[in-house]
Amino acid sequence: MARHTFRVWRGDANGGQLSDYEVEVNEGEVVLDVLHRLQATQTPDLAVRWNCKAGKCGSCSMEINGKPKLACMTRMSTFADGETVTVTPLRTFPVIRDLVTDVSFNFQKLREMPAFAPPPGLKPGEYRMQQVDVERSQEFRKCIECFLCQNVCHVIRDHEENKPAFSGPRLFIRAAELDMHPLDARTDRKEFAKEEQGLGYCNITKCCTEVCPEHIKITDNAIIPMKERVVDNRYDPLVWLGRKIFRRDQMPGYLGGPTQERLPVSEIVADRAGANSPYGDDITFPLPTESLTYEHTKED
Amino acid sequence: MTTTSAEPAAARPALGRRAAISAKHLRTDRWWVEPVYTVVGLSAWLIWGLVHTLLIRDYYFIEGPGYHYLTPFFSPCVNVECPPDSALLGRWAPSWVLPYAILSLPLLLLFRLTCYYYRRAYYRSYWLSPPACAVPDGHAKYTGETRFPLIMQNLHRYAFYAAVLVSIINTIDAVRSFWGTEGFGFGLGNILLVGNVVLLWAYTISCHSCRHIVGGRLKHFSRHPVRYRAWTFISRLNTRHKELAWITLGTLALVDIYILAIAAGWFSDPRFFN
Amino acid sequence: MTDNTQTSAASPAPRAQETVERHRYDVLVIGAGGAGLRAAIEARLAGKRTAIISKSLFGKAHTVMAEGGAAAAMGNVNPNDNWMVHFRDTMRGGKFLNNYRMAELHAKEAPERVWELETYGALFDRTKDGKISQRNFGGHEYPRLAHVGDRTGLELIRTLQQKIVSLQQEDKAELGDYEARVRVFAECTITDLLVTDGRIAGAIGYYRESGKIVLFEAPAIVLATGGVGKAYKVTSNSWEYTGDGHALALRAGATLINMEFLQFHPTGMVWPPSVRGILVTESVRGDGGVLRNTEGKRFMFDYVPDVFRSQYAETEEEADRWYTDPDNNRRPPELLPRDEVARAINAEVKAGRGTPAGGVYLDVSSRLPAEVILKKLPSMYHQFKELADVDITKQPMEVGPTCHYIMGGVEVDADTAATMVPGLFAAGEVSGGMHGSNRLGGNSLSDLLVFGKRAGEHAAKYVDSLSERPAVRPTDVQAAIGTILAPLTRAEGENPYAVWHELQDVMQSLVGIIRRKHELEEAIKRLEELRPRVASVKATGGRRFNPGWHLALDLRNMIVVSECVARAALEREESRGGHTREDFPTMDPKWRRLNLVCSLVGDQVTLTPKPVPKMPRELLALFDKAELKKYLTPEELAELDEPSESTGGAEAGRSN
């Protein structure tokens, strides 16, 4: 058992201040436990947003001793005995009350991000993807949307005026996830990242990676690869020359252009007559019925 | 009964204000240590490099039966003033053209200047944009790498291609230094040159652009097993890109100072063979 | 879309100054977890204007906590798997108390629902030939759980969330407004359903953020609010799980069934105390983890019940071979259904062979190489590393049972998910019947997809069938507003946290895993004493994001649901699945034929027994006679032997 002073920001959009509370801390507790103890014993109306308390939902994002963190994953044992712990709301977003902020900026940006485009011609159950091809995107799908990366990013943290033009790291990993998705049918993800999401604003100072509670390598595995992909079709002189010479709709990276990588477009150069089978070339029809395991239910 | 339209919750503009916290930041750890070390380290290296390339002395060591080391800071030596047997690509640059390695040094500088790691390092430490996470950057306005000149950072890939060529030259230098007029032999200088070249290669191919070109740009790894293997290897190296960036600065300086020291005759190069 | 208006509540109200935000929708979905989102997608696809009420932020629902996977008999890993095997496993797991029709629909439709997720952008782990990989799980005969590492719930919720967004983008393209047809009301809590002339007319609640009252007029409502775990002290459930949907349904006139069946997940963390209850996924055992007591003994071999004797290994050697050769060996007893494992751990701890913190050891470190553990169980690794400072690649974990899931819930029609109240539908954990007396791991994610879709679909159909919409009565609105604001306006009253902790105490110690008659009676008595105290708690502070106030309102739901659980547990005099009576330690086939139905008469919880729907012969034919003997009464078995014209086998269930 140890005693700590908790300095908690109390207030709302009209102003507020840091208030001090003396609390008992038991072995093995995290910051969120202490905030709950404050609620139960000293100040029942202390506003804290939380949910799973296991680092899986990303609700209890706040700043602890100035660092963006999940309160449920910050162990009290990381502080020196008797150390004052300062807890403040996320700075980048408008405050609602106490430690709760209005994170709707992020949901707005998420809504502007074009969704996964299912490949035409493939029905549910016919998707075939190799594990090595989905692994990169799977890393980004670990994201719990705690928005700590969005909060720490100085592009909007220190420059409110950049908010309309800049989507933030959470959205860059979404862009990378979809651009690397083996079956996503859209080809304009790179254009979108550059033009609409403001990928160029990022100066790769890596704070997003530093604060990510899921340890997603946001900068190395998403932002830089996306920057490189933009370079592929924006700043590569060979591509630029190609644009001048060939028709635009045949270039990779153009919306509506060819979607499959390295597949001969024309039947003349393809190694078989007709188009490539969407089911994969190793399947012949009809399939043996005894291996089918699914039955359609009758409409009720 | 009033009939005003309810505004959509999610699309609501940020009406509220941020929490009014007076402190600029509340970090209690020694966040300033990293930027300070970075400034000290990078500045020291740059100053040393500038001083030695402009001093134009003790960059080439030759002794006995044609044993010779050329410091990477002067390779390839293309100035008419260069010692004849140090010149790999001929001597054609007029004597007032500095540095002597006019072909390689600007490209190497560009490679490191546009390198994704160094960008992080100097944006944070020199430009304070931001100096550390959750510490405010010191600028009123910020447009990142969307405009000239910083949009040129996107040319890193071409600098990478150039760096590969320069690394080849450095490799040839290191190999040539094993051969004197009387055949094969080596001393401590050779070992340092080789070590430096190996680490330079490691730094160069662990580059993010290289990782992208080798395999990162593919959508389906499963259709390109060889490139996938290469990508996996480079990805592993890439996680050490920062460390390699610093280590190679260190080895470059070490090799340069070592050659300067033996060329100036402060001590002699221990020979291990021949 | 000008029918979303604000209006002052009509006089002659006691609170004429209260401004109420008013919205009109076709389908209102309460709950933004897997079931709710899936229902909303279906309602929107049917062209209905749909609102989603989320108690927390969009995408934070408790579904994210599901780790193992979604059970669906796709047969990708073992081609012998099919819906009939899945159905059989589900019925077995639920000890034959399941609503057979729900179990049947679930087993048949789960694969299609999982495949659908891929078209929304989900990225499951893959098999070598590129199909969705499936993993083993307790109670499932074949590897059946579609999964993504150990974060399948997150993948599911994110996928559905992104599908909603993609539908909103379509609406934006077509109608110029993202929210033209689907709108998410985040951080909004519904406190009462409004029923007019016995039919659903709308719902009322408040925004957590501002404390403002919001009224929804909607003829069809889908409840998808999840469970009741927060009535217990040790639980894996998040704060939202306060039995809201159960209580809303009761107060609206619907009924609850099987409320005595609570699943205690066998493996929750037990140390440190602050994270007590947080789940340790079953995959740890599926992937080779074993349970040992403090004497180092793999004790599960001593706890295989006769019903399962033939399917589980008897020696450690056979059990270990099963991981690599499942076709020729029987599975390890660590993979018994959850209730069996939970009881076994409980017994070991009681016998003094548990750890000081009151758990047993779950060891994977001595069974798998560190890099395999990191690859297969990454979030478990992080959970233990960061919350308990335990490295699971080097040390065993300490685990014990934790309240995890309630099998009971709103009584619904199997095909339509409709409750007893016209216009009210329920799907997911809040509905009852599908899982019988015990749920198999992995069946909840598939359950919420299958029945979420059905609920949304039939809610939309119900709206189409209406000639006119029931109108919300202003007096109901006034009464509901009064209830919402009461805790804030009371001059005197107890701290809601104190009352809540007492309620948790009662449920944890008296209505826990092992139940006894006198304890249950005491629990009911204490709950009755708590009821007036719950009704008179006082919240300090204002209306903006005031957790004390929110808890005061949630308590009102928890107390009534707790009472249902306690009363049903007292009534059922047998042990079955998630209900264990020390004084009636065996299963009684007579009780298998009965569901206990809870309803609210006035403010009194009443219980009525109701026969369990009878399984048709064709489905019974899927089981061994010998197995059926363990569950059915002699009369039922005799009936089974009588000749009949109906055909059996694969046609089963098509005859509905």
Side-chain angles (χ1 to χ4, degrees):
Chain A
M1 178 106 56
R3 290 192 68 82
H4 280 274
T5 302
F6 256 61
R7 185 165 289 173
V8 183
W9 195 86
R10 302 296 306 269
D12 55 25
N14 298 321
Q17 71 293 317
L18 293 166
S19 308
D20 286 2
Y21 302 91
E22 292 292 321
V23 272
E24 298 279 328
V25 176
N26 300 320
E27 197 194 351
E29 285 189 325
V30 293
V31 168
L32 188 58
D33 287 314
V34 178
L35 295 174
H36 282 162
R37 182 158 309 125
L38 285 179
Q39 280 183 336
T41 57
Q42 301 188 32
T43 166
D45 66 333
L46 170 66
V48 182
R49 185 185 273 141
W50 69 287
N51 217 341
C52 73
K53 206 174 168 297
K56 293 196 173 172
C57 74
S59 298
C60 58
S61 305
M62 51 188 77
E63 299 189 5
I64 299 165
N65 279 352
K67 278 192 187 165
K69 286 194 168 169
L70 293 180
C72 70
M73 298 300 274
T74 309
R75 291 160 59 79
M76 287 303 297
S77 59
T78 54
F79 302 105
D81 209 9
E83 186 181 341
T84 299
V85 180
T86 311
V87 188
T88 49
L90 300 179
R91 271 193 202 240
T92 307
F93 309 116
V95 69
I96 291 172
R97 206 166 77 78
D98 300 345
L99 301 174
V100 178
T101 46
D102 174 7
V103 292
S104 56
F105 165 79
N106 305 293
F107 288 102
Q108 204 174 309
K109 293 290 181 186
L110 280 164
R111 200 150 69 177
E112 287 159 11
M113 174 84 209
F116 169 72
L122 276 190
K123 289 208 275 294
E126 294 171 348
Y127 285 39
R128 296 290 177 272
M129 294 177 260
Q130 290 302 313
Q131 184 63 32
V132 290
D133 294 338
V134 299
E135 260 164 10
R136 278 183 300 180
S137 296
Q138 280 184 336
E139 181 190 3
F140 309 132
R141 290 186 72 87
K142 285 199 305 197
C143 171
I144 57 174
E145 296 194 340
C146 63
F147 306 128
L148 286 179
C149 56
Q150 303 281 87
N151 171 60
V152 81
C153 183
H154 72 113
V155 177
I156 47 176
R157 185 184 175 94
D158 300 327
H159 305 277
E160 177 78 27
E161 71 280 5
N162 284 340
K163 275 187 178 172
F166 183 71
S167 288
R170 162 63 188 119
L171 274 299
F172 296 146
I173 65 169
R174 175 85 171 127
E177 172 209 323
L178 288 165
D179 204 45
M180 294 172 187
H181 191 300
L183 291 177
D184 179 49
R186 281 188 91 105
T187 50
D188 61 343
R189 305 264 176 215
K190 306 158 188 72
E191 299 280 313
F192 187 83
K194 185 188 174 293
E195 301 299 337
E196 308 294 331
Q197 296 190 304
L199 185 65
Y201 280 86
C202 169
N203 67 345
I204 48 171
T205 37
K206 276 198 170 173
C207 284
C208 48
T209 309
E210 227 168 89
V211 300
C212 180
E214 283 293 296
H215 311 291
I216 299 171
K217 301 274 174 283
I218 300 175
T219 321
D220 284 326
N221 288 349
I223 297 181
I224 294 175
M226 279 312 278
K227 280 190 175 235
E228 287 293 319
R229 283 166 183 237
V230 170
V231 170
D232 271 349
N233 65 339
R234 292 285 306 197
Y235 303 105
D236 194 315
L238 295 177
V239 175
W240 177 83
L241 198 68
R243 278 235 174 84
K244 297 275 168 208
I245 298 168
F246 298 109
R247 276 179 39 219
R248 221 175 116 78
D249 59 358
Q250 290 183 347
M251 294 305 298
Y254 178 74
L255 178 62
T259 60
Q260 287 274 33
E261 188 187 4
R262 291 174 63 104
L263 272 187
V265 186
S266 151
E267 207 180 305
I268 301 165
V269 292
D271 57 353
R272 75 210 70 195
N276 298 60
S277 166
Y279 304 95
D281 295 316
D282 52 349
I283 292 185
T284 45
F285 292 92
L287 292 167
T289 42
E290 61 275 14
S291 75
L292 294 174
T293 54
Y294 177 69
E295 280 186 50
H296 289 268
T297 43
K298 272 203 324 206
E299 274 299 307
D300 46 69
Chain B
M1 189 162 173
T2 53
T3 51
T4 49
S5 241
E7 53 195 345
R12 190 191 310 143
L15 285 175
R17 272 168 291 181
R18 298 181 178 201
I21 305 167
S22 46
K24 289 251 180 240
H25 71 85
L26 289 161
R27 281 186 68 161
T28 52
D29 55 339
R30 302 183 330 141
W31 56 266
W32 41 268
V33 166
E34 193 195 301
V36 168
Y37 282 4
T38 310
V39 168
V40 170
L42 287 183
S43 303
W45 192 88
L46 279 171
I47 291 167
W48 168 252
L50 199 65
V51 166
H52 193 200
T53 46
L54 298 184
L55 267 183
I56 321 177
R57 52 165 286 204
D58 300 328
Y59 57 88
Y60 189 63
F61 166 77
I62 185 150
E63 188 190 73
Y67 300 125
H68 53 90
Y69 307 135
L70 176 64
T71 167
F73 281 16
F74 284 76
S75 168
C77 213
V78 293
N79 200 286
V80 290
E81 303 286 325
C82 290
D85 42 350
S86 75
L88 193 64
L89 300 179
R91 296 182 297 161
W92 41 264
S95 60
W96 51 266
V97 174
L98 290 180
Y100 278 13
I102 188 68
L103 281 186
S104 62
L105 279 197
L107 291 173
L108 282 181
L109 202 62
L110 191 68
F111 181 50
R112 293 202 180 226
L113 205 63
T114 58
C115 158
Y116 287 99
Y117 167 67
Y118 284 107
R119 270 145 82 180
R120 169 189 184 276
Y122 62 76
Y123 283 141
R124 276 199 186 195
S125 55
Y126 287 86
W127 196 242
L128 307 179
S129 178
C133 301
V135 176
D137 71 13
H139 305 271
K141 221 169 133 24
Y142 174 87
T143 53
E145 299 180 342
T146 56
R147 299 182 187 182
F148 187 83
L150 289 182
I151 198 167
M152 302 307 281
Q153 301 279 29
N154 287 312
L155 296 179
H156 183 49
R157 177 173 311 178
Y158 305 101
F160 161 72
Y161 291 137
V164 169
L165 297 178
V166 176
S167 295
I168 292 172
I169 291 170
N170 286 334
T171 311
I172 295 172
D173 277 339
V175 171
R176 267 164 46 109
S177 65
F178 282 98
W179 302 94
T181 46
E182 288 175 17
F184 182 80
F186 71 92
L188 182 58
N190 292 92
I191 291 169
L192 289 178
L193 275 175
V194 169
N196 178 50
V197 158
V198 168
L199 287 163
L200 276 182
W201 273 114
Y203 168 72
T204 308
I205 64 167
S206 68
C207 156
H208 292 84
S209 284
C210 174
R211 181 176 180 230
H212 172 78
I213 295 159
V214 163
R217 63 197 308 276
L218 298 172
K219 196 155 186 161
H220 297 97
F221 283 145
S222 56
R223 295 186 198 153
H224 308 269
V226 176
R227 288 178 73 181
Y228 174 61
R229 291 251 291 281
W231 178 83
T232 314
F233 172 72
I234 290 174
S235 296
R236 267 205 300 274
L237 266 187
N238 179 259
T239 59
R240 301 260 161 276
H241 199 50
K242 168 187 175 176
E243 287 78 5
L244 286 167
W246 281 103
I247 290 170
T248 49
L249 284 192
T251 57
L252 277 169
L254 179 73
V255 168
D256 186 58
I257 293 170
Y258 180 81
I259 291 172
L260 175 123
I262 53 174
W266 299 348
F267 53 85
S268 61
D269 181 43
R271 300 295 298 175
F272 303 124
F273 184 77
N274 239 335
Chain C
M1 300 304 142
T2 51
D3 43 10
N4 291 339
T5 55
Q6 285 195 337
T7 166
S8 309
S11 51
R15 241 173 270 282
Q17 77 280 12
E18 186 63 39
T19 316
V20 176
E21 190 178 306
R22 204 176 258 263
H23 296 279
R24 183 171 295 165
Y25 282 93
D26 297 329
V27 177
L28 180 69
V29 179
I30 306 176
L37 297 185
R38 189 64 190 79
I41 289 170
E42 207 58 25
R44 154 64 181 74
L45 289 174
K48 296 288 166 280
R49 292 194 69 235
T50 307
I52 302 167
I53 310 295
S54 175
K55 205 168 165 183
S56 15
L57 290 174
F58 190 31
K60 305 290 181 202
H62 194 59
T63 309
V64 299
M65 300 292 283
E67 291 160 344
M74 299 182 281
N76 288 349
V77 171
N78 190 324
N80 295 325
D81 200 13
N82 58 41
W83 76 262
M84 289 172 278
V85 186
H86 190 183
F87 170 76
R88 216 155 51 197
D89 291 344
T90 305
M91 293 300 294
R92 251 180 220 144
K95 305 285 193 300
F96 273 67
L97 197 77
N98 317 50
N99 178 320
Y100 77 90
R101 177 64 180 157
M102 289 177 90
E104 180 195 354
L105 287 171
H106 168 257
K108 284 181 175 170
E109 294 179 359
E112 201 170 28
R113 294 289 86 78
V114 170
W115 285 328
E116 219 164 46
L117 293 179
E118 287 199 304
T119 68
Y120 301 168
L123 284 172
F124 293 103
D125 285 348
R126 318 304 298 183
T127 61
K128 284 221 158 48
D129 52 356
K131 296 178 186 168
I132 296 173
S133 171
Q134 297 183 273
R135 72 150 54 114
N136 282 306
F137 228 63
H140 292 281
E141 198 172 330
Y142 295 114
R144 188 176 288 148
L145 270 66
H147 61 275
V148 191
D150 49 8
R151 52 163 192 87
T152 317
L154 174 66
E155 182 71 11
L156 201 116
I157 200 91
R158 204 61 83 229
T159 303
L160 293 172
Q161 181 188 346
Q162 286 162 355
K163 177 64 181 177
I164 299 267
V165 165
S166 115
L167 291 171
Q168 288 182 325
Q169 288 170 353
E170 284 173 27
D171 292 343
K172 163 95 172 164
E174 186 186 337
L175 304 162
D177 179 8
Y178 284 116
E179 293 176 334
R181 279 193 290 226
V182 192
R183 176 165 164 194
V184 180
F185 292 82
E187 302 204 302
C188 178
T189 305
I190 296 294
T191 56
D192 273 300
L193 304 181
L194 303 171
V195 180
T196 304
D197 302 328
R199 294 187 301 167
I200 288 293
I204 190 163
Y206 61 93
Y207 287 116
R208 304 173 66 79
E209 185 182 302
S210 60
K212 286 190 184 140
I213 310 278
V214 56
L215 169 69
F216 296 92
E217 293 171 275
I221 291 183
V222 178
L223 290 174
T225 54
V228 305
K230 274 295 158 190
Y232 284 81
K233 227 184 217 152
V234 180
T235 175
S236 62
N237 294 171
S238 66
W239 67 267
E240 304 162 293
Y241 269 36
T242 51
D244 292 8
H246 294 81
L248 288 173
L250 272 182
R251 287 199 292 267
T255 48
L256 310 182
I257 58 168
N258 293 349
M259 291 300 287
E260 63 275 34
F261 297 110
L262 273 157
Q263 185 172 74
F264 287 82
H265 195 287
T267 56
M269 293 175 79
V270 297
W271 196 93
S274 69
V275 296
R276 204 183 171 115
I278 293 178
L279 217 59
V280 178
T281 175
E282 207 151 288
S283 330
V284 176
R285 282 171 286 140
D287 287 333
V290 293
L291 290 164
R292 290 186 208 279
N293 57 26
T294 41
E295 293 164 5
K297 183 166 188 261
R298 235 176 118 173
F299 58 83
M300 278 311 297
F301 287 97
D302 302 341
Y303 291 93
V304 183
D306 291 337
V307 204
F308 293 110
R309 187 77 68 196
S310 61
Q311 295 144 33
Y312 286 84
E314 274 158 59
T315 62
E316 295 198 17
E317 292 70 34
E318 181 180 4
D320 287 347
R321 281 197 303 270
W322 175 85
Y323 296 106
T324 45
D325 182 13
D327 285 338
N328 299 313
N329 293 286
R330 289 173 297 172
R331 50 186 38 231
E334 274 86 5
L335 297 181
L336 275 162
R338 288 175 173 175
D339 54 329
E340 308 287 353
V341 183
R343 273 200 297 270
I345 296 177
N346 206 50
E348 284 295 309
V349 175
K350 278 213 167 144
R353 294 189 289 270
T355 65
V360 294
Y361 292 115
L362 171 58
D363 186 21
V364 70
S365 62
S366 65
R367 314 255 316 159
L368 293 174
E371 60 278 8
V372 177
I373 297 174
L374 282 174
K375 173 91 184 83
K376 288 199 161 180
L377 304 161
S379 67
M380 277 305 107
Y381 175 78
H382 286 298
Q383 185 175 316
F384 273 87
K385 192 81 205 140
E386 285 167 35
L387 291 176
D389 205 16
V390 165
D391 183 347
I392 65 167
T393 63
K394 298 199 178 80
Q395 295 161 270
M397 299 163 245
E398 244 184 278
V399 297
T402 173
C403 177
H404 181 49
Y405 189 90
I406 184 158
M407 273 66 73
V410 185
E411 188 183 9
V412 290
D413 175 68
D415 290 78
T416 61
T419 69
M420 295 299 159
V421 179
L424 186 62
F425 299 79
E429 188 172 351
V430 73
S431 68
M434 155 73 204
H435 303 290
S437 66
N438 189 31
R439 175 180 70 86
L440 292 186
N443 267 3
S444 68
L445 287 187
S446 41
D447 165 29
L448 52 83
L449 291 173
V450 169
F451 294 103
K453 175 190 183 277
R454 284 186 165 263
E457 184 185 336
H458 288 280
K461 277 190 190 158
Y462 169 80
V463 174
D464 288 335
S465 74
L466 288 177
S467 51
E468 64 173 336
R469 299 184 172 203
V472 169
R473 281 194 299 246
T475 47
D476 292 348
V477 175
Q478 285 317 315
I481 294 175
T483 312
I484 295 173
L485 298 181
L488 286 171
T489 46
R490 270 181 208 120
E492 301 261 316
E494 279 185 88
N495 181 342
Y497 288 93
V499 179
W500 179 41
H501 291 158
E502 261 193 74
L503 172 70
Q504 287 182 317
D505 244 356
V506 173
M507 293 306 282
Q508 186 75 34
S509 54
L510 302 176
V511 201
I513 304 183
I514 313 287
R515 295 153 181 188
R516 296 160 195 91
K517 182 167 197 254
H518 65 95
E519 288 186 351
L520 291 168
E521 281 166 349
E522 198 197 325
I524 291 170
K525 195 170 124 261
R526 285 184 58 187
L527 288 173
E528 270 169 5
E529 286 163 11
L530 273 173
R531 207 183 326 149
R533 290 172 58 192
V534 165
S536 62
V537 290
K538 174 181 162 48
T540 54
R543 282 167 70 171
R544 292 180 70 83
F545 217 103
N546 182 342
W549 177 40
H550 302 162
L551 176 63
L553 294 170
D554 291 343
L555 260 180
R556 172 169 164 255
N557 299 331
M558 271 188 272
I559 185 86
V560 60
V561 176
S562 298
E563 210 178 317
C564 288
V565 174
R567 284 187 189 276
L570 177 64
E571 187 84 3
R572 184 174 283 273
E573 297 186 326
E574 64 157 352
S575 293
R576 180 185 295 276
H579 171 66
T580 304
R581 284 283 296 264
E582 200 182 58
D583 38 357
F584 299 95
T586 53
M587 256 195 300
D588 181 349
K590 286 208 262 337
W591 270 107
R592 191 204 67 80
R593 307 181 69 174
L594 288 179
N595 283 140
L596 292 172
V597 181
C598 295
S599 52
L600 212 53
V601 177
D603 61 349
Q604 286 299 315
V605 172
T606 47
L607 274 185
T608 353
K610 185 176 173 180
V612 171
K614 203 166 149 202
M615 208 193 302
R617 217 170 247 272
E618 305 84 55
L619 289 175
L620 279 170
L622 295 172
F623 297 88
D624 261 6
K625 204 50 158 305
E627 188 178 3
L628 289 177
K629 272 200 188 115
K630 293 167 196 156
Y631 298 108
L632 303 190
T633 58
E635 304 90 73
E636 286 173 296
L637 287 167
E639 228 175 280
L640 207 60
D641 291 332
E642 287 164 21
S644 139
E645 300 90 74
S646 94
T647 52
E651 282 301 288
R654 291 202 157 196
S655 52
N656 54 298

